[in-house]
Amino acid sequence: MNLIQTLQTNYQQLKLNPMKYCLTIFTLLFVTLLCVAQDIKIVSKTTVVMPRQVFGAIDKKTGKNIIPLKYDKLKKLCKDCKEKLLIATKKDKVGVIGYDNIPVIPFEYDYIGPIEGYLTVKKEGKYGIMDFSGKQIVDIKYDRISLLDNNKMVTKSKKGIKKLMDFEGNSIISIEFDFYDSGLFRRDNEKIIIGNDGKKGIYSLSGEEIFPISVDKINIFEYKKIYEVINNDKSGLISYSGKLLVPMEFDRIESSKAKASTNYLVFKNKKAGIIDKDGNEIVASKYDQVNEIHFADKIFFETKLNNAIGMVDDKGKEVVPNKYDSVIPIEAGNQIYFTVKTGGKFGVVDNMGKEIISCKYERITGATNAGKAYFCVKKEDKYALVDANEKIILPYDYQLLKMSSTKSQLIAGKNDLIGIIGFNGNEIIPYKYTSYTMYSDNLRFKKADDTWCTLNNGVETPVKLEDEVFMIVEDQPKFPGGEEEMMKFIYDNIKYPPAAKAKKISGMCVISIVVEKDGSLSNFEIAREIGEGCGEEALRVVKLMPKWTPGKQRGKPVRVSYNLPVRFKLQ
């Protein structure tokens, strides 16, 4: 019985005069508004006579008792609900009361629980659905109910038979099924996976068959909007619309771990290769292992064969043969080269597979001057500078040698001090600093007194390193579980803005954030927008993220700026 019904009953029973009745209505409404504004705390005590625990509630601010200690159980309807309602149990029966202790749903049910903006109720072994006001939405006559979106539900009988139905009890899919997977619905609220007799298929919530019930297993490749289908231990790929993209002929298919990749790792006869989303072969299935690598807007595939590492480009061409312990792309002279390692020593291979720097160095990094490629090489704990023909440009005189953020300059170390030199070895900034770090395009130098500064034409400007927001750090901040888990989090929570979908807008938004020293996120900004609410939606999802593992510089947590891409793609 709601408030108005209570007042009407009181008027009929007490025969109040109209003025007194109106005053009563005003008083009760005012008290109710106060209750709605309250934030309550559920409390309990143990009775002395026939000991049992009873529950009530108090006002958090005043400590005033607003729900008497008389219920066997008491809990808020849900953590983030706007409705000020409590689910209460009394004498083994469940009901719903308001913060004013007035019953909203009577105590005559065996179970009441919130689900997708409604209440699932159970009575005499059968389930139904109510709204928060107690209005019956679905009759209490089903053995089990799983609520979907758009007034759709999956019902289950004691024999395990399931049906997809609307709230009026009409079947949406003509067939009955014995298997239902809610995992797909949580990612795409227009489709569900159902099955019969061990076989599975995909249907839309409108009853359309997307993919027939014909395969043993269906996996969702998360944010890529593609399914893996498996039958008789062979894997293939289908699109979200149910189109067969890759025939079921592979032993296994894995989604590439590279960010925003549309390629897939496939296994056939225990050998690995790469295909694109349309099933075209990029890397032949002849390797023991293949990893996708993104570097400088290019895609490469690291291949492993008989424990030897090589590299293939995005056209399937071998650029580094399989004969090294490791292969890592680097940039020098505005071109991409590869540092290779064998027998514990490093060398350099060009993009034609030619070893231009022999494998005899302890460390190698790339450098650029006037468009030409150079390499900082380390040998017997000393650094030198060589060109692409391995000719020595600067001798082995340095404790440190590395490309500066400013091209044509090198960070150099001598006698335990750091300075900046040109490619001819001339000092640009004298050797007088004990350490350095890089922030954005600027270098920070540590002085002998442990303070930090920047340099502009040789003039020092003090900075507080602990307050700086770094662009580049030794240990980058990380989302819990890594990049793949971050992509999963984003695309599990993202909702395509209806206006953007209607106008067929797609593309990449970029959200700029700062990862604080404790891993929390701050300074949220939309750095790149594609319109129609996509930037705002990306920002909303990023703000939901848990704490990250913070970035570190020289072993200490620091603030790090991070640009996070969020791609919107229509299927």
Side-chain angles (χ1 to χ4, degrees):
M1 185 179 290
N2 60 31
L3 176 61
I4 300 302
Q5 291 173 326
T6 303
L7 291 170
Q8 290 172 344
T9 302
N10 287 341
Y11 178 58
Q12 293 167 357
Q13 293 178 351
L14 302 175
K15 297 181 180 179
L16 300 171
N17 64 56
M19 284 296 293
K20 191 172 182 180
Y21 180 60
C22 289
L23 181 60
T24 304
I25 290 176
F26 176 79
T27 303
L28 286 173
L29 285 172
F30 179 72
V31 170
T32 302
L33 287 172
L34 285 178
C35 289
V36 168
Q38 287 172 322
D39 191 10
I40 68 167
K41 178 181 180 181
I42 294 173
V43 295
S44 65
K45 78 170 185 179
T46 303
T47 59
V48 177
V49 181
M50 297 181 64
R52 68 187 183 94
Q53 196 172 23
V54 291
F55 293 83
I58 61 173
D59 188 305
K60 269 188 177 180
K61 290 184 179 179
T62 66
K64 183 179 177 181
N65 185 20
I66 57 174
I67 305 290
L69 289 158
K70 67 175 186 178
Y71 296 103
D72 301 324
K73 293 180 181 178
L74 193 66
K75 65 179 181 179
K76 290 185 178 182
L77 182 66
C78 55
K79 184 179 179 181
D80 299 319
C81 287
K82 295 179 181 179
E83 291 78 10
K84 305 296 183 179
L85 299 173
L86 301 165
I87 298 174
T89 303
K90 186 167 61 175
K91 296 181 180 179
D92 294 327
K93 291 297 179 182
V94 185
V96 175
I97 62 174
Y99 281 17
D100 53 7
N101 200 34
I102 294 176
V104 176
I105 297 176
F107 289 85
E108 58 183 51
Y109 298 95
D110 303 318
Y111 168 82
I112 296 177
I115 178 172
E116 301 291 341
Y118 292 93
L119 295 172
T120 301
V121 296
K122 182 182 180 183
K123 190 175 183 180
E124 297 177 359
K126 299 293 184 180
Y127 288 86
I129 296 173
M130 288 182 173
D131 64 17
F132 289 159
S133 70
K135 179 183 176 182
Q136 195 76 49
I137 305 297
V138 176
D139 292 340
I140 304 173
K141 63 179 183 179
Y142 298 102
D143 294 306
R144 198 74 185 175
I145 293 177
S146 296
L147 190 61
L148 303 177
D149 201 3
N150 303 322
N151 300 329
K152 307 293 193 306
M153 60 183 179
V154 174
T155 61
K156 178 182 178 182
S157 70
K158 288 182 178 178
K159 294 181 180 180
I161 297 173
K162 300 177 177 66
K163 295 181 180 180
L164 177 64
M165 310 179 77
D166 61 24
F167 279 5
E168 285 72 44
N170 302 311
S171 293
I172 297 171
I173 299 176
S174 58
I175 63 172
E176 297 176 338
F177 45 95
D178 58 25
F179 173 85
Y180 155 64
D181 182 3
S182 63
L184 173 57
F185 174 75
R186 289 194 297 270
R187 294 164 175 81
D188 179 354
N189 58 13
E190 296 177 356
K191 304 180 183 75
I192 59 172
I193 297 174
I194 62 174
N196 264 326
D197 300 324
K199 297 294 184 180
K200 299 173 180 63
I202 302 173
Y203 276 74
S204 73
L205 294 191
S206 63
E208 177 190 1
E209 181 186 83
I210 305 297
F211 190 77
I213 300 175
S214 58
V215 296
D216 300 326
K217 191 174 182 180
I218 298 176
N219 294 324
I220 308 163
F221 279 141
E222 303 300 346
Y223 59 93
K224 298 192 176 181
K225 306 292 185 184
I226 282 181
Y227 310 116
E228 179 191 20
V229 287
I230 303 171
N231 201 42
N232 298 324
D233 295 325
K234 294 296 180 182
S235 294
L237 296 178
I238 62 172
S239 70
Y240 256 33
S241 63
K243 178 184 176 182
L244 184 65
L245 301 175
V246 178
M248 287 175 273
E249 59 184 31
F250 295 99
D251 301 327
R252 190 168 87 248
I253 299 178
E254 294 179 4
S255 175
S256 171
K257 293 180 173 60
K259 180 171 59 179
S261 171
T262 58
N263 299 317
Y264 295 86
L265 176 65
V266 294
F267 293 86
K268 202 171 187 179
N269 300 323
K270 297 183 179 181
K271 293 295 182 180
I274 294 287
I275 61 172
D276 65 17
K277 64 181 180 60
D278 297 317
N280 299 313
E281 183 183 83
I282 300 175
V283 179
S285 298
K286 63 179 183 179
Y287 298 99
D288 301 323
Q289 186 176 325
V290 180
N291 295 315
E292 184 170 337
I293 296 173
H294 288 216
F295 179 80
D297 296 325
K298 301 287 185 181
I299 298 176
F300 297 97
F301 300 97
E302 179 192 76
T303 59
K304 185 176 183 179
L305 185 62
N306 300 325
N307 291 320
I309 306 297
M311 193 73 71
V312 173
D313 67 14
D314 59 351
K315 305 298 182 184
K317 175 188 173 184
E318 182 182 81
V319 290
V320 180
N322 290 87
K323 64 177 187 177
Y324 298 101
D325 300 329
S326 71
V327 179
I328 300 173
I330 61 171
E331 194 168 2
N334 303 320
Q335 296 183 44
I336 295 177
Y337 294 85
F338 302 89
T339 57
V340 293
K341 183 180 180 181
T342 183
K345 299 295 183 180
F346 291 92
V348 175
V349 170
D350 65 15
N351 57 15
M352 300 299 291
K354 180 183 177 182
E355 191 174 294
I356 60 172
I357 306 291
S358 54
C359 292
K360 62 181 181 181
Y361 299 99
E362 298 161 14
R363 188 176 181 184
I364 298 178
T365 58
T368 300
N369 183 36
K372 294 183 178 180
Y374 295 87
F375 301 93
C376 302
V377 296
K378 183 180 181 182
K379 192 175 181 182
E380 297 178 357
D381 289 330
K382 290 290 185 179
Y383 282 89
L385 183 69
V386 301
D387 65 12
N389 295 314
E390 209 170 351
K391 178 184 176 182
I392 295 177
I393 307 300
L394 294 177
Y396 288 93
D397 288 343
Y398 302 92
Q399 293 172 311
L400 170 68
L401 201 61
K402 184 178 181 181
M403 186 73 187
S404 169
S405 57
T406 302
K407 290 188 177 181
S408 77
Q409 294 182 2
L410 298 166
I411 303 169
K414 276 187 176 183
N415 301 319
D416 297 326
L417 294 175
I418 292 171
I420 298 292
I421 63 173
F423 276 68
N424 57 6
N426 293 339
E427 287 187 15
I428 298 172
I429 295 175
Y431 296 97
K432 65 176 185 177
Y433 300 100
T434 60
S435 185
Y436 79 97
T437 188
M438 191 176 293
Y439 170 69
S440 186
D441 289 330
N442 296 315
L443 287 168
R444 305 306 199 234
F445 292 94
K446 188 177 182 181
K447 300 165 67 174
D449 61 1
D450 287 339
T451 62
W452 290 80
C453 69
T454 59
L455 291 173
N456 185 11
N457 295 324
V459 178
E460 295 179 350
T461 301
V463 294
K464 292 183 178 180
L465 190 64
E466 63 272 15
D467 296 328
E468 291 288 348
V469 179
F470 287 77
M471 297 291 290
I472 300 172
V473 289
E474 293 169 346
D475 297 316
Q476 285 288 339
K478 294 179 182 178
F479 183 89
E483 191 172 88
E484 188 173 9
E485 285 300 313
M486 180 173 69
M487 290 296 105
K488 180 178 182 299
F489 177 91
I490 290 174
Y491 293 103
D492 276 354
N493 287 281
I494 205 84
K495 294 180 180 177
Y496 218 111
K501 185 180 288 187
K503 293 183 180 181
K504 298 183 179 180
I505 291 176
S506 62
M508 181 183 291
C509 295
V510 177
I511 305 301
S512 173
I513 59 175
V514 171
V515 183
E516 299 289 347
K517 296 177 186 178
D518 64 352
S520 61
L521 307 183
S522 68
N523 294 46
F524 300 91
E525 288 185 11
I526 302 174
R528 184 191 295 173
E529 168 70 282
I530 58 174
E532 297 299 338
C534 290
E536 289 81 0
E537 175 61 13
L539 181 64
R540 180 191 69 82
V541 172
V542 173
K543 285 184 175 181
L544 297 175
M545 285 184 170
K547 283 188 175 183
W548 290 32
T549 300
K552 290 184 178 181
Q553 186 69 8
R554 286 173 173 72
K556 293 184 178 180
V558 292
R559 305 175 73 208
V560 181
S561 178
Y562 196 98
N563 286 328
L564 187 58
V566 179
R567 186 179 297 278
F568 290 83
K569 186 177 180 181
L570 290 167
Q571 297 299 314

